[in-house]
Amino acid sequence: MKYFKIRNLFRAALLLCLFFTMSFSLCASNEGSASGVDVKEIVLGHMSDAYEWHITTWNGHHISIPLPVIVKGESSGWHVFSSERFHDSTNGTFEGFYLDETHNGKIYEHLANGQNVRPIDLSITKNVVQIWIVVLLMAVIFISSARWYRGRQAGDKAPGGFVGLVEMFVMSINDDLIRPSVGEKHYKQYAPFLLTAFFFIFITNLLGLLPIFPGGANITGNINITFVLAMFTLLLVNVFGNKEYWMEILWPPVPTWLKCPVPMMPVIELFGIFTKPFALMVRLFANMMGGHAIILSLTCVIFITCQLGAIIGTPLTIVSFVMMVFMNCLELLVAFIQAYVFTMLSAVFIGLAHTEHSHE
């Protein structure tokens, strides 16, 4: 045991020395360089959607995976082509379509009359591909885990390894979160959705922390994605809510003068129908977007301080690196917490829609 501890300490010290050496060399090579680091472009470029998957930049050349563009023009019909066509053309325009940087890099069409309009855009963007990757991972994880249980009885030995890890997650969320929040009577009905939402958000958050393909897309930091997830909860709560739920909204148990003739409390309760999913949407979006922005900003500080020179840049780079590692570790925790909180609040809202009161 002592040998393993010494070996681990030696490895950590070796990696630390390697980082110091690389940092000093990088700072020395960039000393006196006039080129700057566009922090705004790096941060916003990572957090925004794109029609290609950028891998890295080598010697001034962008290495990216082009994605299919599917658009319908104003009068020219449907067009399907690779996003690489925008870079191959001389003026960045292909078949009348171009990427408008003033509108977050969205595709616009240049008409014959001189107008620039937004076409119907069904392109396969980076966020779409990332969602497909997450869905594929979830299918592989749960189908492979489900095969382990075929032909086994309730009293058989519990699974170990990866299947045991998946079972631990599923049973923990189902028994400790979904069942007490939704209620014993209805939790089995909503457990599939809530478990799917948890693992989708959790795996998406983890992949978002990877700097290269197949990760790096800011899915849960996109308010459109969190809006759709919140809308699913809104529909489940209000479409399948029982009569007691709607009675408390339309005629809540408060003094009559708060309900009639001025329906003050019913209006507040109706307004609460939309504030609950709004809170789900904004909480997940803001936390994940803020975490990505901080990590990317700290990463950019490393390259900015290298331009100050080796003597000044190296200690600042070390501090930035330590802070970046700390934020990445914190984001691992946040990735789980945000998935847990979204699932918990959704389960609570669903449970409130199935409350039953006894009447004398």
Side-chain angles (χ1 to χ4, degrees), residues 118-160:
R118 183 86 166 93
I120 298 177
D121 191 356
L122 301 180
S123 303
I124 309 301
T125 61
K126 181 175 70 172
N127 285 348
V128 175
V129 176
Q130 183 74 94
I131 292 175
W132 288 355
I133 293 174
V134 173
V135 171
L136 180 62
L137 283 176
M138 292 178 63
V140 171
I141 289 172
F142 294 112
I143 291 176
S144 60
S145 299
R147 289 179 177 176
W148 187 91
Y149 294 93
R150 290 181 179 178
R152 298 182 182 272
Q153 304 298 325
D156 292 344
K157 183 180 178 181

Side-chain angles (χ1 to χ4, degrees), residues 5-271:
K5 289 182 179 180
I6 295 175
R7 187 176 65 177
N8 292 333
L9 289 175
F10 176 76
R11 288 178 177 176
L14 182 61
L15 290 175
L16 193 60
C17 292
L18 179 62
F19 167 74
F20 289 163
T21 304
M22 292 176 62
S23 174
F24 187 85
S25 301
L26 182 62
C27 291
S29 62
N30 285 278
E31 187 174 0
S33 175
S35 62
V37 178
D38 193 343
V39 179
K40 180 180 178 181
E41 181 182 356
I42 293 175
V43 174
L44 296 181
H46 171 81
M47 295 191 298
S48 60
D49 201 0
Y51 295 94
E52 60 182 10
W53 201 305
H54 183 264
I55 304 299
T56 185
T57 300
W58 186 262
N59 291 331
H61 299 285
H62 297 289
I63 302 176
S64 305
I65 300 176
L67 300 175
V69 174
I70 307 172
V71 291
K72 182 180 181 182
E74 187 77 14
S75 58
S76 56
W78 289 98
H79 298 258
V80 180
F81 54 90
S82 172
S83 60
E84 192 176 7
R85 297 293 185 180
F86 291 123
H87 305 289
D88 294 340
S89 59
T90 56
N91 57 354
T93 303
F94 181 77
E95 296 183 354
F97 300 95
Y98 67 98
L99 298 176
D100 193 345
E101 298 300 333
T102 61
H103 294 84
N104 299 322
K106 298 299 182 181
I107 294 179
Y108 273 74
E109 182 184 11
H110 184 72
L111 302 180
N113 57 7
Q115 292 183 348
N116 298 320
V117 297
R118 183 86 166 93
I120 298 177
D121 191 356
L122 301 180
S123 303
I124 309 301
T125 61
K126 181 175 70 172
N127 285 348
V128 175
V129 176
Q130 183 74 94
I131 292 175
W132 288 355
I133 293 174
V134 173
V135 171
L136 180 62
L137 283 176
M138 292 178 63
V140 171
I141 289 172
F142 294 112
I143 291 176
S144 60
S145 299
R147 289 179 177 176
W148 187 91
Y149 294 93
R150 290 181 179 178
R152 298 182 182 272
Q153 304 298 325
D156 292 344
K157 183 180 178 181
F162 180 75
V163 179
L165 178 65
V166 174
E167 181 184 291
M168 179 198 71
F169 268 105
V170 172
M171 297 306 297
S172 176
I173 300 300
N174 184 73
D175 295 344
D176 300 335
L177 177 61
I178 298 176
R179 179 182 289 185
S181 299
V182 178
E184 193 70 29
K185 184 177 180 181
H186 301 283
Y187 83 94
K188 292 183 179 180
Q189 180 181 355
Y190 298 99
F193 164 74
L194 294 172
L195 286 171
T196 302
F198 171 80
F199 283 102
F200 175 81
I201 297 173
F202 183 49
I203 296 176
T204 298
N205 292 345
L206 292 180
L207 285 179
L209 296 176
L210 297 178
I212 59 174
F213 184 85
N218 188 30
I219 300 298
T220 48
N222 188 320
I223 198 168
N224 297 310
I225 305 299
T226 58
F227 170 78
V228 173
L229 291 173
M231 284 300 299
F232 285 143
T233 301
L234 174 67
L235 292 175
L236 287 176
V237 170
N238 294 282
V239 172
F240 299 102
N242 58 16
K243 62 179 181 179
E244 293 287 345
Y245 167 73
W246 286 106
M247 181 65 70
E248 290 186 354
I249 292 177
L250 301 177
W251 196 257
V254 295
T256 306
W257 64 272
L258 293 174
K259 299 178 289 187
C260 184
V262 180
M264 182 172 63
M265 288 304 299
V267 170
I268 294 176
E269 293 293 337
L270 285 172
F271 186 72

Side-chain angles (χ1 to χ4, degrees), residues 202 206 209 327-339:
F202 183 49
L206 292 180
L209 296 176
M327 286 302 303
N328 273 279
C329 295
L330 185 62
E331 277 294 296
L332 288 175
L333 180 62
V334 171
F336 174 80
I337 291 177
Q338 290 304 316

